[in-house]
């Protein structure tokens, strides 16, 4: 674990959680459910089919007891949750290498380890960056290696957010790949249920506004990432993804019109999420096998 100094770092100087191993049968039900949330006419994968990139986020879920949730809906304590006061969590980005895709309906194993911890000072105050590395396998063969970057702060966000939302404005894009979306509170509720995410910023509008300083419900970062990857699945279905990286930059809010945009190249594709407010709320790059 990286050395950390002063401030938030003082709370994690001796924090060194051990590796954790989990298993999951990767049953077809969650794939069918997310396919419905994305308005697909039928499940995008059935038993025995390869799982689309990052759809393993539907599996290996943790469901703590209700009494073990914090005021914000997140678990009050957790194996890879840093012990800082008044902890607030933000999904920042990640990377994934796909050696071979996981298969729906076949038992899988995940080994999770704490990779790095670092403090940084930005315009909104001190932040704690935690990276967790997950290794997935099936039938004793390595399939995926993923790193997730989670950012924590102590106290509410100080970031610049719009005071009011314009849910009628529509963005524009001339890029070859485009997928328009308008996530509403029902979409966010269903996605929260599918990913065991009880963070109140996604379904409790008064809490999101009054306690965390947002102008409305926040669209899940993972949902934005999966929307970008839908461009690849829909437009290049015969191109297996070898690796991908993504970064979440600015939040999108429920009711806003967005477009997942993509520009393909010979061996890769550049993707991003745009609204009328911001050209790149999230970005991703996919490399083909």
């Amino acid at each position: 674990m990286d050395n950390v100094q002063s401030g938030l770092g003082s709370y994690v100087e001796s924090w060194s959680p051990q590796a954790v191993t989990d298993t999951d049968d990767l049953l077809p039900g969650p794939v069918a459910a997310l396919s419905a949330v994305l308005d697909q006419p039928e499940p995008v994968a059935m038993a025995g089919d390869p799982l689309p990139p990052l759809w393993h986020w539907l599996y290996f879920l943790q469901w703590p007891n209700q009494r073990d949730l914090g005021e914000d809906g997140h678990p009050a304590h957790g194996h890879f949750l840093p012990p800082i006061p008044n902890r607030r969590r933000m999904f920042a980005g990640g990377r994934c290498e796909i050696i071979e895709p996981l298969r729906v309906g076949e038992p899988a194993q995940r080994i999770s380890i704490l990779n790095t911890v670092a403090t940084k000072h930005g315009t909104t105050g001190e932040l704690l960056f935690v990276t967790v590395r997950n290794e997935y396998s099936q039938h004793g063969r390595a399939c995926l290696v993923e790193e997730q970057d989670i950012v924590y702060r102590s106290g509410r966000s100080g970031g610049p957010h719009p005071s009011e939302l314009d849910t009628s404005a529509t963005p524009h894009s001339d890029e070859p790949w485009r997928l328009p979306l308008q996530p509403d509170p029902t979409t966010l509720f269903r996605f929260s249920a599918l990913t065991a995410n009880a963070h109140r910023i996604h379904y409790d509008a008064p809490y999101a506004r009054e306690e965390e300083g947002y102008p409305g419900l926040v669209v899940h970062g993972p949902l934005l990432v999966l929307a970008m990857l839908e461009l690849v699945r829909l437009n290049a279905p015969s191109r297996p993804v070898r690796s991908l990286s993504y970064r979440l930059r600015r939040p999108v809010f429920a009711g806003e019109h967005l477009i997942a945009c993509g520009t393909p190249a010979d061996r890769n594709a550049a993707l991003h999420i745009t609204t009328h407010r911001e050209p790149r709320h999230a970005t991703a790059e996919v490399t083909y096998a």
Side-chain angles (χ1 to χ4, degrees):
M1 187 171 68
D2 290 352
N3 291 327
V4 288
Q5 311 294 331
S6 71
L8 293 180
S10 65
Y11 292 94
V12 294
E13 287 177 345
S14 60
W15 180 61
S16 184
Q18 299 300 305
V20 174
T21 299
D22 297 298
T23 59
D24 198 295
D25 290 334
L26 305 192
L27 298 176
V31 173
L34 181 57
S35 300
V37 170
L38 296 176
D39 273 331
Q40 296 301 297
E42 58 186 22
V44 304
M46 307 290 285
D49 292 338
L51 195 63
L54 299 187
W55 282 48
H56 63 266
W57 288 347
L58 300 174
Y59 300 96
F60 300 93
L61 304 179
Q62 302 294 321
W63 286 92
N65 290 331
Q66 193 70 17
R67 63 177 176 272
D68 295 327
L69 297 181
E71 182 65 25
D72 62 356
H74 275 309
H77 307 284
H79 193 73
F80 292 113
L81 294 177
I84 64 174
N86 198 17
R87 183 180 58 231
R88 299 290 171 89
R89 178 182 185 273
M90 296 164 284
F91 190 34
R95 297 149 297 284
C96 185
E97 179 184 1
I98 303 174
I99 303 163
E100 62 177 271
L102 294 166
R103 296 277 171 176
V104 179
E106 299 180 11
Q109 182 185 73
R110 180 184 69 183
I111 300 175
S112 303
I113 63 171
L114 181 66
N115 200 25
T116 61
V117 177
T119 54
K120 296 182 181 181
H121 291 266
T123 57
T124 62
E126 189 179 25
L127 302 172
L128 184 72
F129 287 75
V130 175
T131 299
V132 175
R133 178 184 175 93
N134 298 305
E135 300 176 3
Y136 296 85
S137 61
Q138 279 181 324
H139 308 298
R141 299 192 307 272
C143 294
L144 308 179
V145 178
E146 179 189 22
E147 292 182 346
Q148 289 188 352
D149 304 324
I150 311 296
V151 181
Y152 297 90
R153 69 166 61 248
S154 184
R156 66 184 289 172
S157 169
H161 305 303
S163 57
E164 295 184 0
L165 298 178
D166 185 346
T167 58
S168 62
T170 56
H172 174 75
S173 172
D174 292 322
E175 295 187 61
W177 292 354
R178 297 185 297 274
L179 179 63
L181 297 167
Q182 188 182 19
D184 62 13
T186 304
T187 306
L188 305 193
F189 175 82
R190 297 176 80 189
F191 191 78
S192 287
L194 279 173
T195 54
N197 186 343
H199 195 180
R200 291 170 63 183
I201 62 172
H202 303 306
Y203 60 87
D204 185 341
Y207 173 86
R209 295 190 189 99
E210 297 164 14
E211 298 298 327
E212 300 220 16
Y214 295 114
L217 296 177
V218 180
V219 178
H220 308 70
L223 181 55
L224 298 178
V225 176
L226 291 173
M228 289 189 288
L229 292 179
E230 278 293 277
L231 293 169
V232 179
R233 190 185 67 80
L234 294 171
N235 293 283
S238 64
R239 303 294 303 272
V241 173
R242 173 64 176 180
S243 65
L244 60 93
S245 61
Y246 56 90
R247 183 179 177 188
L248 298 161
R249 301 170 181 271
R250 294 287 179 87
V252 177
F253 302 100
E256 290 190 298
H257 291 269
L258 65 88
I259 303 177
C261 310
T263 299
D266 182 43
R267 296 298 305 275
N268 59 11
L271 316 169
H272 65 95
I273 297 287
T274 184
T275 70
H276 73 285
R277 294 189 292 109
E278 183 84 23
R280 280 171 167 74
H281 288 269
T283 57
E285 182 172 351
V286 165
T287 302
Y288 302 122

